[in-house]
Amino acid sequence: MAELIDIRNLKKDYRLGARTVHVLEEVNLQIARGEKVSIMGPSGAGKSTFLHVAGTLDVPTEGSVMYEGLDVFSFPDRKLAAFRNRSIGFVFQFHYLLPDFSALENVMMPGRIAGDPIPAVRKQAQHLLEEVGLGHRFDHRPGELSGGEQQRVAIARALVMEPKILLADELTGNLDASTSKGIHDLLHEINRLHETTLVVVTHNTGLADSMDRRLLLQNGCIEDRDNLEEGRA
């Protein structure tokens, strides 16, 4: 598989008053197109921070994030925002759906923001809602949907621009075991159908172990869980 992301010598610090907090230290990671990657680690280890930087929502203190050979943080702000909207999909633990809009309107939102033709965006949004099992819920608002249905809408919204990569942060953290299993299966189906690269931050061992590669983020660094477990064997 060809390389999609190449992250080199990534550091991320935050200032808290007079103190500097080192969250990420010398992170190096390459992810291939179509690969499924899980990231585990203790709370506060910097997993969400890593996703935010990898997804260009936050700027690294040092290091580079390359997408298909392009240094995306060298882009002007407007170009970077356009790249993020079209190339990266995000799903978070909280779905962040707009409560006054229908499921279909929520899924269409990234395309509307990008200024794409409305009929094409609507058709793509309808197709994705059907694909995630919500073809009968086009006109329902978030408050009329279950937690699992809301997360499926959020996944469809993340995919509407046909991104190369989907970044997911504890996307089933608020769901029961049965609903979580359905969402996990859906992620694998999305990868199979669309060849979308998946990077999933999770505390769910079952989901993490079902991915192609299992990583551990601790002490500011990312390590391969399989290598660590082999070393302890």
Side-chain angles (χ1 to χ4, degrees):
M1 290 186 288
E3 190 172 272
L4 175 63
I5 305 175
D6 184 4
I7 296 172
R8 298 292 177 108
N9 304 318
L10 182 67
K11 295 184 179 182
K12 182 61 184 178
D13 301 336
Y14 291 103
R15 293 285 296 178
L16 290 178
R19 186 164 63 99
T20 299
V21 179
H22 305 289
V23 181
L24 301 175
E25 305 250 13
E26 294 292 338
V27 171
N28 290 278
L29 180 64
Q30 291 74 48
I31 299 173
R33 294 177 193 166
E35 191 175 12
K36 297 181 291 184
V37 178
S38 66
I39 301 177
M40 300 190 77
S43 297
K47 301 184 298 297
S48 295
T49 296
F50 172 78
L51 278 194
H52 287 177
V53 175
T56 76
L57 292 171
D58 202 355
V59 179
T61 303
E62 293 182 26
S64 63
V65 177
M66 311 284 285
Y67 275 85
E68 296 181 310
L70 297 175
D71 182 359
V72 292
F73 285 110
S74 70
F75 292 173
D77 289 348
R78 183 170 292 185
K79 182 178 179 181
L80 180 59
F83 169 84
R84 183 189 308 119
N85 189 42
R86 293 193 178 277
S87 299
I88 306 172
F90 297 92
V91 186
F92 301 101
Q93 181 173 353
F94 302 99
H95 51 75
Y96 297 116
L97 300 177
L98 299 174
D100 295 330
F101 291 84
S102 69
L104 181 61
E105 290 168 333
N106 268 282
V107 176
M108 290 176 63
M109 198 60 65
R112 297 293 302 273
I113 291 171
D116 290 353
I118 292 175
V121 175
R122 180 181 293 111
K123 182 177 180 180
Q124 174 72 348
Q126 290 172 337
H127 170 73
L128 285 168
L129 282 171
E130 289 169 353
E131 197 169 273
V132 302
L134 293 177
H136 60 303
R137 296 289 206 181
F138 287 172
D139 298 324
H140 289 71
R141 295 183 179 183
E144 301 170 311
L145 303 174
S146 69
E149 288 172 333
Q150 290 174 18
Q151 199 61 292
R152 286 173 180 267
V153 173
I155 292 171
R157 178 184 59 189
L159 295 171
V160 75
M161 301 300 288
E162 300 183 305
K164 299 172 183 177
I165 185 167
L166 182 68
L167 304 179
D169 191 359
E170 296 290 359
L171 78 168
T172 58
N174 291 326
L175 304 177
D176 61 67
S178 176
T179 304
S180 295
K181 176 64 165 55
I183 297 294
H184 299 168
D185 292 343
L186 176 60
L187 287 181
H188 289 290
E189 185 70 0
I190 287 165
N191 174 263
R192 185 185 70 81
L193 291 174
H194 302 281
E195 298 183 344
T196 307
T197 303
L198 301 179
V199 179
V200 180
V201 162
T202 183
H203 282 103
N204 186 298
T205 304
L207 174 60
D209 290 349
S210 70
M211 297 291 164
D212 300 327
R213 189 154 43 124
R214 307 181 306 157
L215 304 176
L216 178 67
L217 199 161
Q218 59 182 355
N219 302 319
C221 299
I222 283 183
E223 302 172 274
D224 191 306
R225 279 180 60 208
D226 293 322
N227 291 342
L228 290 172
E229 290 171 4
E230 287 176 7
R232 288 195 292 265

